[in-house]
Amino acid sequence: MTKTPLQFQHNGRDVAIFVDGGTNLLVALRELIGDMTPKFGCGQGGCGTCSVLIDGELHLSCLTLAETVAGRSVETLDGIKDGPNLHPLQRAFADNFAAQCGYCTPGMLMAAKALLDRNPQPSRAEVVEAISGNICRCTGYEPIINAVLAAASGGRARA
Amino acid sequence: MLELRKDLFADERDDNLKEIGKGTQRQDMLGHVTGTSPYFDDHKLQGMLHLKVVRSAHSHARLRRIDTSEAERSQGVRRVIRASDVPHNLNTLLSLINFGKDDEPSLAVDKVRYKGEPIVAIVADSPREAFEAITKVKIDYEPLPAVFDVEDALKPGAPVVNEVYPKNTFTYHETYDRQQLRFGDADRALASADHVLEQRYQMSPIEHAPTETNGSIAAPDTNGRYIVYTSTQALFFSVDTCAKILDVPSNTFHFIGGTVGGGFGGKVDTLTEPLCILGAMLTGRPVRYVFGREEEMQYGPPRGAERIYIKDGVMRDGRVVARKVRAYFDSGAYTRLSSYAAVKCAAHLPGPYTIPNVHGDVYCVFTNRTPATAMRGFGVTAMDFAIECQMDKLAHLVGMDPMEFRILNAYRDGDMKAHRREAKNTALIECVQVAAEKAKWPIREEFKRMSSRKDGGGIRAAVTLTPRETHAPAAAPIQQRTTYDRAPAATREPPPPPPSLPTSPPPPRPSAPSHGATRFSSVFGTRRR
Amino acid sequence: MPVTVKTFTSTNEAAAALSSDRSARYLGGGTLVMRALNEGDISISTVVRASDQAMTRIDASGARVVLGAGVTFARILAERDLGFLHAPARSIGGPAVRNMGTVGGNLFAPVPYGDFTVAMLALDAVVSVQGGLGGREIGIEEFLQSRDRQAGTLVLAISFAKPGSTEAFRYRKIARIKPKGGAVITLAAHLPVNGSRIVGARVALGSMAPTPIRARAAERALEGRALDASTINAAAAAAVEGTSPGDNALASAWYRREIVGVHLRRLLSGQE
Amino acid sequence: MTRHRGRGIASVNYPIGMNLGGDPSQALVHSNPSGKFTVALSSIDLGQGMKSVTRQICAETLGVPVEDVYVDTADSDTGPHCMGSFASRGTHRVGNAVIAAAREARGVMMEAAAEELEVNAADLETDGRGNIHVKGAPHRSISTKDVAIAAQFKQGKTISGRGIFLVPLSDVDPETGEMSPATCYAHACLVAEVEVDDETGEVDMVRMDSAYELGRALNPRLVEQQLVGGAWMGVSHALYETPEPYYPEPVHGPRDFVEYLMPGPGDICPHDIAVLERPAPDGPFGAKGPGEMCANPVLPAVANAIFNAVGVRIDDLPITPEKVLRAIRAQGGARPQPRR
């Protein structure tokens, strides 16, 4: 089976792998690089659990053909901590009890980060819009919205 | 926003505690926000193979011929698993507590009973190669008439969904086609009630829709054992189910789970583990079997639909004097857990109210749809919907405020419940009072003063005289055997016939179980001697 | 058979590769093709890509707007000159899908997807395609009617005249889930006004037929009239005419027929 | 006027634990040589907080800080049997098993401390901060760490405990249904306010007010998670969800999260909750279990609110816009009921 060489930046580090034709980025990250933070939820683009940032933009890794990220930068939840310190969003999610089963949390955090990176002081409606592609079956969304708003207003100052 | 009403029931509580009652951070929160909580699928194993199943294209059909020869030669295929490869290809989940007969194969034999039923499993090097092989499995179906409505399924001449239960109903106490509840004389009370209201309610099926789909990874471990990473909601339930189906001792397996991406009841059925382990046994390689989202939505078991008829008698002063309920659980093609939920539902009647005459018949019915299973509020959610809509209508009928109507009829400490146990530790009245306060819903002073701890018991503690029913429920015929139907695993004595029944021939005495599954209890539903 | 990925710099080559191979599909944003692959659609064994910059070009400076087929919804939202298209662009997916999904792919998205195309239909867009035999331009209506046969052609761009005023173009997606949900129905109306009268009215509906369609009877009710209450009511009453909605998981055909007029009335009268 | 508001209520109770009992759970608790405790379970955390609540229960029972306890679950080689995480049995059954195991471990710990302090174990108490001291004489104290070291290396004792909790299986009378289904019940009452569009049948949630009686809120933040998320699921069941939109006809089943409807972050409404605590005599510290019953009152409360708003009764779930619209048409228009 022919494999295609692929190089890109994964959380700031250069990585080189060989992928089968048609491999999606989620599989490449999880099975070839070993970054288990993006999760498989549907493979259809409907749940957002596999969300990552590609060149700073929110993308669904399950719908991204792996070889299209050649030479680009891919950021996952594994890369958002500052050394041993939690990202303000991670701390806000914890403080607001914004996770139950935790499975949607990586995708939610990446969607929230994509928002705050561009819009550090979002309104509630903007937060709702930003996480609207991400399904959570446990929390009823309210604590997640509150966590993102808390990170926006106070998290940065505390960080 | 959450407010703790420490002022209520304070005299029953010791609040002098150090850790209990604190809003301590979750032990798993750090793992969740860093994405390091280990779900079953987060285990990367060398040389992992992928398992996919061929699912039935029909809701009900005879399987004339299954040709897997082309699939076996398909690129990347390591193994095609057929029904005959499954050591004990017939099970019912609650056989672990000796409840019900084995009625469901891991892979269909002779017949499929719902659309999407697994028929053949493919183990291949990649998901793509498994998908390709699936299209090469040739199945010759002979479609059969299907039944989808619970009441149609009970009509004479309805297609038999599952030959283990030829009347399309689960068999209770080895005799009855339903679980009964009889408390007082509902018919007599209805005849003398000021108003009678009969209504029909329908609960839809519900998909659990956890963000993590069902799945497992099984791999040969050292010393002849198998390690299994699983999304199960019930670890030993799954261990023992696999031990039974694969006919090996339960300590063959090392199950690891406990961190699950949502369940809500949809991960109790051990859907993937048996075939996944069998794949690992037959190939000697790690095997991963994960549901896709469409599979999860359509062929993962839903909360079953329920149809409920309620007939109530109410007096002008607002007292509900009789409640008669007939409920049908749509179990789909196999029993799974619906049979048990029907008993729980019967126990729940007539809701949290003291009603002196209650009559319940709860049926677990088989239809040609995806087997149903447990879900959050199992056996109760739909009945609560029906009862509480009914309570609203009754309050409207007698011109009472719906809050006051509920307080008036609420059960209190010392009251006799319809399943003939005394009510204790009740708090419905206080919940209604506090909700009214929060919502600024005006209720009269006398209703604000009522209490779950006052005015219960006494005459309300009596078991109302319950007439014997003259008609005897028809005895279930001796179960039919089909070719794949091995001896049932249950070990139970035939129960003595209920006193009001004519003697019917006892069912054949089953043989002892051959598998290593744990027995949690030896007897259910029969009187202990 | 694993999937083969073929990337071309020229659209000609990409189009040739597409038209010569029945198992080839063009990969735009990935929301359709990658999903199909993930779900085990083995009819696709070749994925074709084109890196030609023209595919992602936006020309919105003049009276006629040209959007390369590979333009994403996020880029439309970032374009001030395309303010009239922000509502349809925002109605697609969540932010991640908008960063990936393209206007070209949306032309092929089946019900309950494909909302942006409803807006394109109301704007009387023209679709530029490259087939095995060369390029051509097709009116969007014709394109949609023959969509099933277009799988082997490569869509290059879509173009349309900019509405005269922001008032002239209206769009609304009726979804059960907020802010992101599949369409029960989608409505778009282009109502150019000459003096006080509507000239050249176009009303497009999504989920009212297998592909987006025009509500011609409603258009007739609007044509040549002022947009007053009686005109709006007449258009609303005619909205359902000529439609053939289906049942799906989101709503029944009956429901769609019953509410299409209500929502058209609300859209035209500016009601929530 | 096409939009109408209405309020509806529902009150419910819910049985805690597997119906009829017969569903045991076990726990093992042991200390390492520095006085840190591990709870070994095979119970499952689906997000409901099993690991966290059993950790607090263990810490309270042992009399040590919660940081000194770690819950390890679920490994079939190390965790003892548990029936599983379903039927609102986790807190009640597993919680009681953990109490039993922690009590046994605490007994050994106190004996070991007594030996070190040369007093009677009955005269000792824990301060919850990692120390054991003589009642009334806080200066005569030893840390749990020193106790664990002494027990392990000097006294040869294992500070550990085993626990099981089992509600014996109840019979069911086939004729009357006489049975003991559960040992305790949680309670709730919920008021839902909705807005109904009488031209489209669409229903929007306006707000919810509720009271839940749960025996004991072992961790109010975890309780809040269950009640807020559970009420959301209740709304979802009431208005949106079905994998069989044309039940009993098995057609047009949803295939993805666009076709399977659940309320999004833009569909949620304020929810004001009161928690009442009437301890269950056999609950761990009186606790029952909020996990399942939290959704149940929402469904009928929403249906009843719709009646209050427009005068139609929808007895068939989910209450889709289509069903509301058909019912409004059938009665010749909306008939708002007296405002409550």
Side-chain angles (χ1 to χ4, degrees):
Chain A
M1 199 185 285
T2 45
K3 293 193 186 265
T4 308
L6 170 64
Q7 292 188 49
F8 61 99
Q9 275 214 331
H10 171 246
N11 294 328
R13 286 180 53 221
D14 290 329
V15 291
I17 52 177
F18 289 92
V19 293
D20 292 328
T23 300
N24 68 43
L25 180 60
L26 178 65
V27 169
L29 288 168
R30 290 177 59 86
E31 293 175 21
L32 301 175
I33 292 175
D35 179 352
M36 296 295 181
T37 59
K39 304 292 180 196
F40 169 83
C42 69
Q44 302 165 320
C47 73
T49 59
C50 67
S51 299
V52 299
L53 303 184
I54 300 177
D55 292 339
E57 275 185 357
L58 191 69
H59 281 249
L60 299 169
S61 61
C62 78
L63 296 185
T64 302
L65 183 68
E67 46 198 276
T68 62
V69 302
R72 301 169 76 183
S73 142
V74 176
E75 190 180 3
T76 70
L77 179 59
D78 198 36
I80 80 169
K81 279 198 302 180
D82 172 18
N85 301 318
L86 293 182
H87 186 277
L89 271 166
Q90 291 175 306
R91 207 160 45 230
F93 267 59
D95 291 347
N96 285 275
F97 282 69
Q100 287 185 34
C101 83
Y103 201 78
C104 77
T105 311
M108 284 286 181
L109 281 164
M110 297 316 285
K113 183 169 190 294
L115 170 71
L116 296 192
D117 283 352
R118 278 173 172 69
N119 179 1
Q121 298 294 323
S123 66
R124 184 183 163 97
E126 286 168 331
V127 173
V128 164
E129 182 63 50
I131 62 166
S132 65
N134 295 64
I135 298 285
C136 172
R137 186 60 158 159
C138 300
T139 65
Y141 297 107
E142 183 71 30
I144 294 173
I145 297 167
N146 292 339
V148 180
L149 288 170
S153 61
R156 265 134 219 268
R158 285 207 308 273
Chain B
M1 238 193 24
L2 184 131
E3 171 201 17
L4 287 173
R5 287 294 299 267
K6 289 284 183 188
D7 55 318
L8 296 164
F9 303 113
D11 58 331
E12 294 188 28
R13 273 194 326 267
D14 171 13
D15 284 341
N16 187 23
L17 299 168
K18 292 194 167 71
E19 299 293 345
I20 294 300
K22 274 194 194 166
T24 306
Q25 183 54 274
R26 297 173 64 108
Q27 181 183 294
D28 52 9
M29 187 58 89
L30 188 61
H32 286 354
V33 300
T34 54
T36 55
S37 295
Y39 302 89
F40 84 89
D41 199 26
D42 294 339
H43 298 89
K44 198 173 84 171
L45 302 176
Q46 186 65 33
M48 187 141 70
L49 306 177
H50 301 265
L51 187 149
K52 306 265 175 212
V53 297
V54 180
R55 295 184 177 278
S56 166
H58 295 270
S59 295
H60 197 191
R62 208 167 294 290
L63 296 171
R64 282 207 198 99
R65 190 160 171 274
I66 301 168
D67 179 1
T68 58
S69 52
E70 198 189 335
E72 276 158 33
R73 292 192 303 269
S74 187
Q75 186 181 314
V77 169
R78 297 296 178 117
R79 177 77 195 209
V80 173
I81 303 175
R82 301 181 52 131
S84 56
D85 295 319
V86 183
H88 190 100
N89 193 23
L90 198 67
N91 182 43
T92 192
L93 283 174
L94 288 176
S95 65
L96 297 174
I97 57 167
N98 274 356
F99 190 65
K101 304 171 203 164
D102 284 348
D103 67 346
E104 180 170 8
S106 294
L107 293 171
V109 183
D110 296 351
K111 195 176 135 169
V112 284
R113 300 179 175 86
Y114 67 97
K115 191 175 169 217
E117 180 165 3
I119 301 170
V120 165
I122 309 275
V123 185
D125 287 338
S126 69
R128 169 90 181 181
E129 286 160 322
F131 284 130
E132 284 171 348
I134 280 176
T135 64
K136 294 173 184 165
V137 174
K138 294 190 184 67
I139 298 170
D140 185 9
Y141 297 98
E142 178 193 330
L144 298 169
V147 62
F148 297 111
D149 184 274
V150 283
E151 290 179 90
D152 288 348
L154 300 182
K155 287 179 185 158
V160 174
V161 174
N162 190 328
E163 291 68 15
V164 175
Y165 296 105
K167 299 185 79 174
N168 289 340
T169 52
F170 184 79
T171 309
Y172 287 94
H173 314 283
E174 315 233 335
T175 304
Y176 293 75
D177 60 358
R178 61 185 180 265
Q179 178 61 55
Q180 299 190 162
L181 185 79
R182 299 288 185 268
F183 182 71
D185 191 341
D187 285 327
R188 216 173 108 178
L190 283 167
S192 59
D194 289 336
H195 302 276
V196 172
L197 180 71
E198 184 169 14
Q199 298 278 286
R200 172 192 192 267
Y201 298 92
Q202 177 73 51
M203 175 89 192
S204 169
I206 300 279
E207 154 61 17
H208 306 82
T211 44
E212 171 202 63
T213 58
N214 269 278
S216 52
I217 292 172
D221 201 1
T222 50
N223 306 318
R225 299 176 83 211
Y226 291 86
I227 193 161
V228 183
Y229 299 100
T230 160
S231 67
T232 184
Q233 268 180 256
L235 199 78
F236 275 95
F237 224 105
S238 292
V239 168
D240 291 325
T241 297
C242 291
K244 176 181 170 185
I245 291 172
L246 300 172
D247 204 11
V248 293
S250 61
N251 66 355
T252 308
F253 307 130
H254 181 187
F255 269 49
I256 297 175
T259 300
V260 176
F264 312 104
K267 291 174 179 168
V268 182
D269 287 7
T270 313
L271 293 170
T272 61
E273 293 86 345
L275 288 177
C276 194
I277 298 169
L278 184 57
M281 287 173 159
L282 296 175
T283 61
R285 297 270 296 273
V287 173
R288 174 174 176 267
Y289 176 17
V290 185
F291 274 16
R293 181 54 62 182
E294 184 175 345
E295 258 181 320
E296 180 80 29
M297 284 191 174
Q298 289 300 310
Y299 314 125
R303 178 204 289 284
E306 291 171 46
R307 182 167 305 154
I308 296 167
Y309 293 89
I310 304 187
K311 190 175 186 180
D312 284 342
V314 62
M315 306 309 281
R316 269 178 226 104
D317 62 9
R319 284 175 301 121
V320 183
V321 292
R323 175 158 286 167
K324 209 170 168 178
V325 176
R326 196 157 37 98
Y328 303 94
F329 279 64
D330 187 342
S331 185
Y334 297 105
T335 308
R336 302 274 175 98
L337 307 167
S338 297
S339 53
Y340 217 70
V343 181
K344 183 174 172 185
C345 182
H348 188 63
L349 299 176
Y353 305 105
T354 295
I355 298 175
N357 302 285
V358 183
H359 182 286
D361 285 322
V362 187
Y363 297 79
C364 169
V365 183
F366 299 102
T367 61
N368 291 108
R369 66 178 73 248
T370 306
T373 193
M375 189 174 183
R376 200 176 204 173
F378 197 30
V380 171
T381 301
M383 187 53 77
D384 276 350
F385 172 72
I387 287 173
E388 288 303 303
C389 288
Q390 187 82 358
M391 290 298 279
D392 210 58
K393 293 174 189 176
L394 294 177
H396 193 74
L397 198 60
V398 298
M400 260 187 94
D401 176 272
M403 289 254 190
E404 294 178 357
F405 183 72
R406 283 170 174 85
I407 292 175
L408 177 73
N409 287 290
Y411 73 160
R412 301 171 188 218
D413 289 3
D415 289 359
M416 184 54 61
K417 296 165 82 172
H419 57 79
R420 296 166 195 251
R421 294 292 179 272
E422 189 188 315
K424 296 171 187 159
N425 189 240
T426 62
L428 193 77
I429 291 174
E430 288 73 14
C431 282
V432 178
Q433 290 163 336
V434 171
E437 202 179 301
K438 273 219 157 325
K440 300 187 176 59
W441 183 304
I443 55 173
R444 281 175 285 171
E445 205 50 46
E446 59 193 286
F447 288 91
K448 287 183 189 165
R449 280 198 304 272
M450 289 183 185
S451 163
S452 293
R453 300 195 281 188
K454 282 193 307 205
D455 305 323
I459 191 167
R460 295 161 65 103
V463 176
T464 337
L465 188 67
T466 307
R468 281 267 166 89
E469 278 167 39
T470 47
H471 71 278
I478 307 293
Q479 73 180 72
Q480 293 174 5
R481 290 289 167 90
T482 49
T483 49
Y484 54 84
D485 194 352
R486 301 187 190 183
T491 55
R492 79 170 80 166
E493 298 290 322
S500 64
L501 290 179
T503 312
S504 57
R509 197 186 173 117
S511 61
S514 62
H515 60 87
T518 313
R519 295 276 139 202
F520 296 117
S521 67
S522 56
V523 177
F524 171 80
T526 56
R527 302 206 169 273
R528 249 175 261 169
R529 280 158 279 256
Chain C
M1 282 266 291
V3 174
T4 306
V5 179
K6 293 179 179 169
T7 306
F8 302 96
T9 47
S10 94
T11 50
N12 279 344
E13 287 169 331
L18 267 183
S19 60
S20 64
D21 180 357
R22 284 167 58 93
S23 75
R25 289 277 292 276
Y26 184 77
L27 178 76
T31 57
L32 298 175
V33 174
M34 289 305 289
R35 172 178 174 167
L37 288 176
N38 290 344
E39 294 192 305
D41 181 349
I42 61 157
S43 71
I44 305 171
S45 55
T46 306
V47 168
V48 175
R49 301 169 60 217
S51 57
D52 191 327
Q53 303 238 323
M55 292 290 282
T56 55
R57 197 168 62 102
I58 295 180
D59 182 354
S61 51
R64 195 152 182 93
V65 175
V66 183
L67 303 176
V71 169
T72 63
F73 302 110
R75 285 193 54 215
I76 290 170
L77 286 168
E79 199 72 41
R80 195 173 294 183
D81 288 337
L82 295 177
F84 62 99
L85 287 180
H86 287 186
R90 200 177 294 111
S91 78
I92 311 291
V97 167
R98 293 198 286 274
N99 284 331
M100 302 174 71
T102 63
V103 298
N106 200 263
L107 291 168
F108 294 93
V111 172
Y113 303 97
D115 302 299
F116 194 81
T117 300
V118 180
M120 292 294 100
L121 180 58
L123 290 168
D124 199 13
V126 171
V127 183
S128 307
V129 301
Q130 179 90 35
L133 305 168
R136 65 198 163 103
E137 310 245 290
I138 317 175
I140 188 166
E141 242 182 316
E142 187 193 338
F143 178 89
L144 291 171
Q145 276 156 18
S146 60
R147 186 164 75 180
D148 294 346
R149 300 194 300 276
Q150 304 286 353
T153 58
L154 175 63
V155 174
L156 299 176
I158 187 161
S159 62
F160 46 88
K162 222 183 257 181
S165 70
T166 49
E167 281 288 275
F169 182 74
R170 296 158 192 238
Y171 173 88
R172 193 170 287 184
K173 171 172 165 178
I174 309 304
R176 303 249 354 249
I177 306 306
K178 293 169 192 69
K180 188 215 88 162
V184 174
I185 54 172
T186 309
L187 310 98
H190 185 209
L191 308 173
V193 176
N194 189 346
S196 63
R197 314 229 162 252
I198 298 164
V199 178
R202 278 179 78 98
V203 177
L205 302 171
S207 296
M208 291 302 291
T211 62
I213 55 162
R214 282 173 65 187
R216 291 180 192 276
E219 290 173 0
R220 282 195 297 275
L222 293 162
E223 191 64 32
R225 295 174 202 275
L227 193 62
D228 56 22
S230 71
T231 304
I232 289 172
N233 285 337
V240 73
E241 211 176 293
T243 62
S244 54
D247 295 336
N248 67 11
L250 300 169
S252 71
W254 178 87
Y255 183 69
R256 293 188 160 97
R257 281 194 207 99
E258 291 300 313
I259 59 153
V260 67
V262 174
H263 287 295
L264 183 61
R265 192 189 76 225
R266 291 181 182 181
L267 177 71
L268 298 178
S269 59
Q271 245 186 316
E272 275 244 350
Chain D
M1 177 67 176
T2 61
R3 290 190 173 88
H4 311 270
R5 285 203 174 183
R7 295 209 291 178
I9 89 145
S11 59
V12 303
N13 70 342
Y14 195 78
I16 300 305
M18 194 162 130
N19 194 55
L20 306 175
D23 58 329
S25 279
Q26 297 183 31
L28 297 174
V29 170
H30 67 95
S31 163
N32 75 4
S34 21
K36 306 294 181 192
F37 289 83
T38 298
V39 183
L41 303 173
S42 70
S43 313
I44 308 295
D45 200 321
L46 311 154
Q48 84 278 39
M50 170 71 69
K51 295 167 189 167
S52 308
V53 78
T54 49
R55 184 183 185 209
Q56 277 173 270
I57 287 170
C58 183
E60 183 74 48
T61 309
L62 286 168
V64 304
V66 75
E67 298 76 25
D68 288 1
V69 177
Y70 190 82
V71 177
D72 180 54
T73 194
D75 182 317
S76 65
D77 277 6
T78 59
H81 171 258
C82 166
M83 204 79 178
S85 291
F86 54 84
S88 294
R89 60 182 304 287
T91 294
H92 192 263
R93 306 294 203 254
V94 184
N96 274 318
V98 169
I99 288 178
R103 274 204 191 121
E104 190 172 303
R106 179 184 162 97
V108 183
M109 177 174 79
M110 297 307 258
E111 287 294 338
E115 201 172 319
E116 292 305 298
L117 293 173
E118 297 177 339
V119 293
N120 196 323
D123 295 331
L124 291 175
E125 63 185 7
T126 48
D127 69 355
R129 295 194 297 272
N131 303 297
I132 299 166
H133 59 75
V134 177
K135 286 175 190 163
H139 61 282
R140 293 189 63 194
S141 170
I142 183 170
S143 68
T144 48
K145 180 180 179 186
D146 289 340
V147 173
I149 291 170
Q152 168 90 350
F153 295 104
K154 204 164 114 196
Q155 303 176 14
K157 287 195 174 88
T158 67
I159 300 182
S160 63
R162 307 154 298 161
I164 184 166
F165 185 72
L166 172 66
V167 173
L169 181 70
S170 162
D171 290 341
V172 180
D173 185 279
E175 284 285 305
T176 63
E178 177 175 354
M179 60 179 129
S180 299
T183 62
C184 60
Y185 294 80
H187 302 89
C189 179
L190 185 135
V191 181
E193 182 168 5
V194 301
E195 187 171 83
V196 184
D197 185 326
D198 68 10
E199 287 188 306
T200 64
E202 289 165 10
V203 178
D204 286 330
M205 293 301 297
V206 177
R207 67 172 286 118
M208 291 185 277
D209 291 281
S210 63
Y212 286 86
E213 188 281 312
L214 306 166
R216 168 93 68 179
L218 298 174
N219 180 328
R221 300 301 300 271
L222 295 187
V223 167
E224 186 175 17
Q225 286 194 314
Q226 288 298 311
L227 299 186
V228 171
W232 171 86
M233 189 178 276
V235 171
S236 193
H237 284 15
L239 298 176
Y240 298 94
E241 288 187 50
T242 176
E244 302 202 40
Y246 300 88
Y247 182 88
E249 278 307 305
V251 292
H252 302 296
R255 297 158 294 184
D256 61 23
F257 281 117
V258 168
E259 295 182 332
Y260 191 75
L261 299 172
M262 299 186 286
D267 295 305
I268 59 179
C269 69
H271 182 187
D272 203 354
I273 303 167
V275 167
L276 284 61
E277 300 170 303
R278 185 174 193 196
D282 72 340
F285 300 98
K288 298 170 181 176
E292 293 188 278
M293 53 92 65
C294 46
N296 290 352
V298 182
L299 288 70
V302 167
N304 294 337
I306 291 169
F307 172 74
N308 186 236
V310 290
V312 301
R313 296 281 187 190
I314 311 296
D315 297 332
D316 185 353
L317 290 169
I319 305 174
T320 58
E322 168 163 352
K323 289 175 190 168
V324 175
L325 188 63
R326 280 184 190 272
I328 289 174
R329 294 275 176 84
Q331 76 172 8
R335 279 188 213 151
Q337 303 295 305
R339 271 292 276 162
R340 291 195 184 108

